[in-house]
Amino acid sequence: MAHVVTPLDQPSNYRDSQNRIDRQRQNDLLSKSCTLYIGNLSFYTTEEQIYDMFSRCASPEDGGGVKRIIMGLDRHTRTPCGFCFVEFYTNAEALTSLRYISGTKLDERIIRCDLDLGYREGRQFGRGKSGGQVRDEHRTDYDPGRGGWGAQALRAEIERRREVEERYADVEQGAPVAGGGGDWKQTAAQGTVLKRARSPDDEGDNEVARQRARMEGDPEAERM
């Protein structure tokens, strides 16, 4: 069964998309790495919480432990955006944390840990167009722990509301109101309730309803 179950302390498919090192070289560096990339964090998780969790897998009495934590930040607002880097003093500590912490919960979220090639200045900022992570650009669900709606879904909702506001603004200015069948007798600009005039289609709909009622034996059919 050993060949079926993926080892938890081995490099996964996670890769820095902006790194140009070939795959074999990356694997060699990851086998010695002391840095973990932590993903799927809540925007509200603090550095202290992360330190408390990961320091339990370290050995400060042996000269090891968590060396530093670099919080991922929104490029524009400089606020946490759901990821971080955790550096240890030894590769063994990084592997132990990977084995025991990846897939566990922090702030009611299942976090993901992966070996990383090492932090470089600039990697603490989100790479999405909106300033956060790319994954939040394409998210279509509402996730309160990740700032609410994804960037694209939020833009679509803002555009929808803008169109609705413009439509009602036209009504208030006396523009014709879009509606199905018939003409409007009065407009909102006159300060009265909108009421649609009867159209030939209405009579046709009523006749269909009467015929259906007769077929079903409804005694009220002639009153319709």
Side-chain angles (χ1 to χ4, degrees):
M1 292 293 292
H3 65 286
V4 177
V5 180
T6 303
L8 298 179
D9 57 354
Q10 296 300 313
S12 70
N13 292 325
Y14 160 76
R15 294 290 182 274
D16 178 5
S17 61
Q18 296 187 358
N19 197 303
R20 298 295 179 261
I21 302 176
D22 64 82
R23 181 61 61 88
Q24 183 58 49
R25 177 59 176 163
Q26 285 191 42
N27 289 338
D28 291 341
L29 293 174
L30 289 174
S31 66
K32 305 172 184 177
S33 175
C34 301
T35 304
L36 292 182
Y37 170 88
I38 316 301
N40 200 39
L41 290 171
S42 165
F43 287 2
Y44 305 101
T45 298
T46 65
E47 184 174 336
E48 289 76 14
Q49 289 175 279
I50 296 169
Y51 180 86
D52 181 66
M53 172 174 273
F54 284 89
S55 62
R56 300 183 185 189
C57 295
S59 305
E61 65 276 4
D62 297 329
V66 175
K67 184 176 181 180
R68 65 171 175 166
I69 296 173
I70 301 96
M71 299 295 291
L73 303 175
D74 184 289
R75 189 170 63 254
H76 303 314
T77 64
R78 297 300 196 266
T79 57
C81 65
F83 72 98
C84 76
F85 298 93
V86 179
E87 290 186 354
F88 297 88
Y89 285 96
T90 66
N91 171 257
E93 290 174 320
L95 293 179
T96 300
S97 294
L98 176 62
R99 182 184 298 114
Y100 291 110
I101 296 181
S102 186
T104 61
K105 279 190 174 183
L106 178 59
D107 269 348
E108 297 303 313
R109 302 185 67 85
I110 297 177
I111 61 174
R112 187 186 78 251
C113 306
D114 284 289
L115 285 172
D116 188 82
L117 294 176
Y119 170 77
R120 297 188 310 278
E121 185 61 34
R123 289 189 65 196
Q124 75 270 37
F125 299 121
R127 296 172 178 172
K129 294 179 180 179
S130 63
Q133 288 192 273
V134 175
R135 58 165 290 191
D136 289 315
E137 293 281 332
H138 303 284
R139 181 166 48 78
T140 58
D141 61 318
Y142 184 83
D143 188 341
R146 303 278 301 188
W149 292 106
Q152 289 186 358
L154 181 59
R155 282 194 292 268
E157 177 64 15
I158 292 174
E159 179 64 21
R160 185 190 70 79
R161 292 185 180 183
R162 184 186 64 80
E163 292 177 355
V164 171
E165 290 173 356
E166 289 179 350
R167 188 179 305 125
Y168 279 97
D170 291 340
V171 171
E172 292 174 356
Q173 295 170 7
V177 181
D183 298 322
W184 294 97
K185 285 186 175 180
Q186 298 169 330
T187 67
Q190 297 173 318
T192 57
V193 177
L194 294 175
K195 184 176 180 181
R196 185 172 63 84
R198 293 178 63 83
S199 73
D201 291 337
D202 295 334
E203 292 298 330
D205 292 341
N206 289 340
E207 181 60 29
V208 171
R210 281 194 291 269
Q211 291 179 4
R212 181 177 302 164
R214 291 194 195 101
M215 294 177 63
E216 295 174 353
D218 188 345
E220 299 293 325
E222 297 304 325
R223 300 183 182 180
M224 299 177 65

